[in-house]
C-alpha cells in the first residue's frame, strides 16, 4: 500500500515563504514523475509543479518564478519551496505520482494579512 503524506503548510503573510514536503511509504518515488497540485474548497485540483525522475521541472504559469519543486531520493521525499506567496495561493496542497496513486490528505496553505 502506497501512502503519501504532505506537510509544511500553515498561515503566512503575503510575500512570505513556506516549504512543503511529501514523504512516501510503500513506493520508491525515484522512478516516478512527481507532481504538486492544489485545491480550493468546492473546486477541482489544479496542477502546480512537476519534476521528472531525471530532475526536469515544469510549473503552472501562476507559480512560475516563485515556486521550486525538488526531490531527495535518499529520503523518498519531494519538496515544494514557495516564495513570494500571494493570497491566491491559498489552497490545500497535494502531491502525487504520475501515473497517479492514492491522494494523501494534503496540507493547508493560507496566505493572508
Amino acid at each position: 500500500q502506497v501512502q503519501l503524506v504532505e506537510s509544511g503548510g500553515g498561515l503566512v503573510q503575503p510575500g512570505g515563504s513556506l516549504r512543503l514536503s511529501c514523504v512516501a511509504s510503500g513506493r520508491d518515488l525515484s522512478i516516478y514523475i512527481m507532481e504538486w497540485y492544489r485545491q480550493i474548497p468546492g473546486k477541482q485540483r489544479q496542477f502546480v509543479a512537476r519534476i521528472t525522475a531525471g530532475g526536469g521541472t515544469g510549473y503552472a504559469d501562476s507559480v512560475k518564478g516563485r515556486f521550486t519543486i525538488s526531490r531527495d531520493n535518499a529520503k523518498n521525499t519531494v519538496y515544494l519551496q514557495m516564495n513570494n506567496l500571494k493570497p491566491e495561493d491559498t489552497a490545500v496542497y497535494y502531491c502525487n505520482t504520475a501515473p497517479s496513486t492514492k491522494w494523501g490528505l494534503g496540507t493547508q496553505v493560507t496566505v493572508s494579512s
Side-chain angles (χ1 to χ4, degrees):
Q1 187 74 24
V2 179
Q3 183 177 7
L4 299 172
V5 179
E6 302 93 343
S7 63
L11 175 63
V12 64
Q13 293 186 349
S17 298
L18 288 171
R19 189 178 77 159
L20 307 184
S21 298
C22 172
V23 181
S25 62
R27 177 176 293 182
D28 180 7
L29 297 185
S30 66
I31 64 173
Y32 291 94
I33 293 171
M34 294 298 303
E35 298 178 328
W36 284 96
Y37 287 76
R38 63 189 182 189
Q39 185 174 30
I40 298 171
K43 297 186 177 181
Q44 67 182 43
R45 287 182 175 92
Q46 177 189 42
F47 168 79
V48 174
R50 173 184 298 112
I51 185 166
T52 69
T57 60
Y59 300 91
D61 288 343
S62 59
V63 307
K64 192 174 182 64
R66 300 187 298 118
F67 290 11
T68 302
I69 187 171
S70 62
R71 65 197 307 162
D72 185 338
N73 291 335
K75 297 181 178 179
N76 213 30
T77 301
V78 179
Y79 303 98
L80 185 68
Q81 178 67 46
M82 305 185 296
N83 297 325
N84 192 24
L85 284 161
K86 303 176 180 180
E88 52 263 44
D89 296 319
T90 296
V92 178
Y93 284 72
Y94 302 86
C95 68
N96 212 333
T97 58
S100 66
T101 188
K102 186 177 181 180
W103 294 99
L105 297 179
T107 185
Q108 175 72 49
V109 172
T110 302
V111 185
S112 180
S113 298

